[in-house]
Amino acid sequence: MKILVIGNGGREHAIAWKLSLSPRVQCVYVAPGNAGTAFEARVRNVPISVADLETLADFAARERIAFTVVGPEAPLAAGIADVFRARGLRIFGPTRLAAQLESSKDFAKAFMQRHGIPTAAYASFSDPAQAHQYAERQGAPIVIKADGLAAGKGVVVAHLLNDAHAAIEALFSHYGARVVIEEHLNGEEASFIVMVDGEHVLPLASSQDYKRVGDGDTGPNTGGMGATSPAPVMTAQLHARVMRDIILPAVQGMAREGLRYTGFLYAGLMIDAHGAPKTLEFNCRLGDPETQPILMRMQSDFATVIERAMAGALDTVALEWDPRCALGVVLAAHGYPDAPRRGDVMTGIPASTEDLHIFHAGTTQHENQRLTSGGRVLCATGLADSIEAARARVYENVARIHFDGMHYRRDIGARALS
Ligand code: AMP
Ligand code: GLY
């Protein structure tokens, strides 16, 4: 069969690579893909933008694509699943309305409140003056979030009231209509990612990402600078609690509200000092870069698992995982996350092996050169018997890679080791 993957990041490279290993898969098309997917065996890039929903559907129909997997949130929020389903094309992902769990923080917070899902206290504003007053009353630290999608730039954790006011100004002026202001939570973050078929839930292996740009969790938030799987913080007990208190109420709540959820569902969690989880956010997709280590560890046939999900039969699937640890380090472009530079020449990218894969994100091929073309450029991901060994394997290989302005965190895995 032929499969279509939508997107061009490291997550989509990992999805396409993993799907291409299925013996039943003849070819995985990636729209639009990157320089990494261009060179993967049985993977082919198709130059269609993720925003061009009708052209993507035309392609899927013409090529008799068995099913489509959507990487990023933007096409889901724009209704790609609705467009495909209306044309009888199989696609794994939530509808536009169900994707509001990610595309509107205001929707997500109100939904969590309606269904008793633990999350930070909040208030939502369409009037900047009222937002400023509320922040003033609450005091810092406080968290300011744009209501809509903002490609990882819509959240400001303000440690000073002045920063909170500046963030309110900035988010209203850049992202428009509404901001959500939240209580600041302390603790350890973890990513909890599951597959949902409308009713049943199948958790993926645990993972944890490193969101700040700098070592020791310093500097601005990014889309993610590295990740590990498993995440030791996710004990069996905590896992059961997250399923019971957060994931199942969310899936059941969506179904009860007539927004039956299918697709990947990602809960960003904050685990407090007593081990109690709260939901920072929902995403309606896999995480990037969490997907890269997670899929390095997946031993099940990913294509078959997604087919079971689309058939509403996730209760019949037991996933198998490599017991080893996986760790991914993102190599970012000069200026990331504020103003990433494009067009730097990359050299020294090691060939992939069974326990090392260099997933591409913001890369393109130009004549004989591979060039950077986005903020997060590569994600070097390795597998080994321990987090320490995986870390050593990855950093040893990262040292061979070069492009001007390349920067990365040197402490990925630190939380899993402490
Ligand atoms: P979000 O997109 O809502 O997950 O926010 C991005 C990042 O901001 C999270 O991964 C956290 O690091 C941080 N963050 C978001 N909400 C809060 C909160 N209520 N308290 C503390 N940190 C937060
Ligand atoms: N790594 C965080 C995310 O994908 O949202």
Short mmCIF file of all heavy atoms in Angstrom, two decimals, residues 54 57 79-91:
data_model
loop_
_atom_site.label_atom_id
_atom_site.label_comp_id
_atom_site.label_asym_id
_atom_site.label_seq_id
_atom_site.Cartn_x
_atom_site.Cartn_y
_atom_site.Cartn_z
N GLU A 54 -7.04 20.87 -0.66
CA GLU A 54 -7.70 20.23 -1.81
C GLU A 54 -6.68 19.52 -2.70
O GLU A 54 -6.93 18.42 -3.19
CB GLU A 54 -8.51 21.26 -2.62
CG GLU A 54 -9.74 21.81 -1.89
CD GLU A 54 -10.83 20.75 -1.61
OE1 GLU A 54 -10.83 19.68 -2.27
OE2 GLU A 54 -11.67 21.01 -0.71
N ALA A 57 -5.71 16.33 -1.12
CA ALA A 57 -6.77 15.33 -1.30
C ALA A 57 -6.79 14.82 -2.74
O ALA A 57 -6.95 13.61 -2.98
CB ALA A 57 -8.13 15.92 -0.92
N GLY A 79 -8.92 21.82 9.08
CA GLY A 79 -9.98 20.90 8.67
C GLY A 79 -9.58 19.87 7.63
O GLY A 79 -10.42 19.37 6.88
N ILE A 80 -8.29 19.49 7.60
CA ILE A 80 -7.87 18.51 6.58
C ILE A 80 -8.63 17.18 6.74
O ILE A 80 -8.98 16.54 5.73
CB ILE A 80 -6.34 18.30 6.58
CG1 ILE A 80 -5.94 17.52 5.32
CG2 ILE A 80 -5.86 17.60 7.84
CD1 ILE A 80 -4.43 17.44 5.10
N ALA A 81 -8.89 16.78 7.98
CA ALA A 81 -9.58 15.49 8.17
C ALA A 81 -11.00 15.57 7.61
O ALA A 81 -11.50 14.61 7.01
CB ALA A 81 -9.59 15.12 9.65
N ASP A 82 -11.64 16.73 7.77
CA ASP A 82 -13.00 16.90 7.25
C ASP A 82 -12.98 16.85 5.72
O ASP A 82 -13.85 16.22 5.09
CB ASP A 82 -13.57 18.24 7.72
CG ASP A 82 -13.41 18.44 9.22
OD1 ASP A 82 -12.26 18.70 9.67
OD2 ASP A 82 -14.39 18.32 9.95
N VAL A 83 -12.00 17.54 5.11
CA VAL A 83 -11.91 17.58 3.64
C VAL A 83 -11.69 16.17 3.09
O VAL A 83 -12.35 15.74 2.15
CB VAL A 83 -10.75 18.52 3.20
CG1 VAL A 83 -10.44 18.36 1.72
CG2 VAL A 83 -11.08 19.96 3.54
N PHE A 84 -10.75 15.43 3.69
CA PHE A 84 -10.46 14.07 3.20
C PHE A 84 -11.67 13.16 3.37
O PHE A 84 -12.06 12.43 2.47
CB PHE A 84 -9.23 13.49 3.91
CG PHE A 84 -7.92 13.85 3.25
CD1 PHE A 84 -7.58 15.18 3.00
CD2 PHE A 84 -7.02 12.86 2.87
CE1 PHE A 84 -6.37 15.52 2.39
CE2 PHE A 84 -5.80 13.18 2.26
CZ PHE A 84 -5.48 14.50 2.02
N ARG A 85 -12.27 13.19 4.56
CA ARG A 85 -13.38 12.27 4.82
C ARG A 85 -14.57 12.58 3.92
O ARG A 85 -15.24 11.66 3.45
CB ARG A 85 -13.79 12.31 6.29
CG ARG A 85 -12.73 11.61 7.12
CD ARG A 85 -13.19 11.23 8.52
NE ARG A 85 -11.97 10.88 9.25
CZ ARG A 85 -11.48 11.58 10.27
NH1 ARG A 85 -12.13 12.63 10.75
NH2 ARG A 85 -10.36 11.21 10.84
N ALA A 86 -14.78 13.85 3.65
CA ALA A 86 -15.90 14.21 2.76
C ALA A 86 -15.69 13.61 1.37
O ALA A 86 -16.65 13.37 0.64
CB ALA A 86 -16.02 15.73 2.67
N ARG A 87 -14.44 13.35 1.01
CA ARG A 87 -14.16 12.76 -0.30
C ARG A 87 -13.90 11.26 -0.21
O ARG A 87 -13.38 10.65 -1.15
CB ARG A 87 -12.95 13.48 -0.91
CG ARG A 87 -13.28 14.95 -1.21
CD ARG A 87 -12.12 15.71 -1.78
NE ARG A 87 -11.57 15.09 -2.98
CZ ARG A 87 -10.69 15.68 -3.79
NH1 ARG A 87 -10.30 16.92 -3.54
NH2 ARG A 87 -10.22 15.06 -4.83
N GLY A 88 -14.20 10.67 0.94
CA GLY A 88 -14.06 9.22 1.10
C GLY A 88 -12.61 8.76 1.22
O GLY A 88 -12.30 7.58 0.98
N LEU A 89 -11.72 9.67 1.61
CA LEU A 89 -10.30 9.32 1.75
C LEU A 89 -9.99 9.05 3.21
O LEU A 89 -10.39 9.83 4.09
CB LEU A 89 -9.43 10.47 1.23
CG LEU A 89 -9.64 10.83 -0.24
CD1 LEU A 89 -9.03 12.20 -0.56
CD2 LEU A 89 -9.02 9.74 -1.13
N ARG A 90 -9.25 7.97 3.46
CA ARG A 90 -8.93 7.64 4.84
C ARG A 90 -7.79 8.51 5.37
O ARG A 90 -6.78 8.69 4.69
CB ARG A 90 -8.57 6.16 4.97
CG ARG A 90 -9.80 5.26 4.76
CD ARG A 90 -9.63 3.95 5.47
NE ARG A 90 -8.46 3.24 4.99
CZ ARG A 90 -7.93 2.19 5.60
NH1 ARG A 90 -8.46 1.74 6.72
NH2 ARG A 90 -6.90 1.59 5.09
N ILE A 91 -7.99 9.02 6.57
CA ILE A 91 -6.98 9.91 7.17
C ILE A 91 -7.01 9.71 8.67
O ILE A 91 -8.08 9.50 9.25
CB ILE A 91 -7.26 11.38 6.76
CG1 ILE A 91 -6.15 12.32 7.26
CG2 ILE A 91 -8.63 11.86 7.25
CD1 ILE A 91 -6.16 13.69 6.58
#
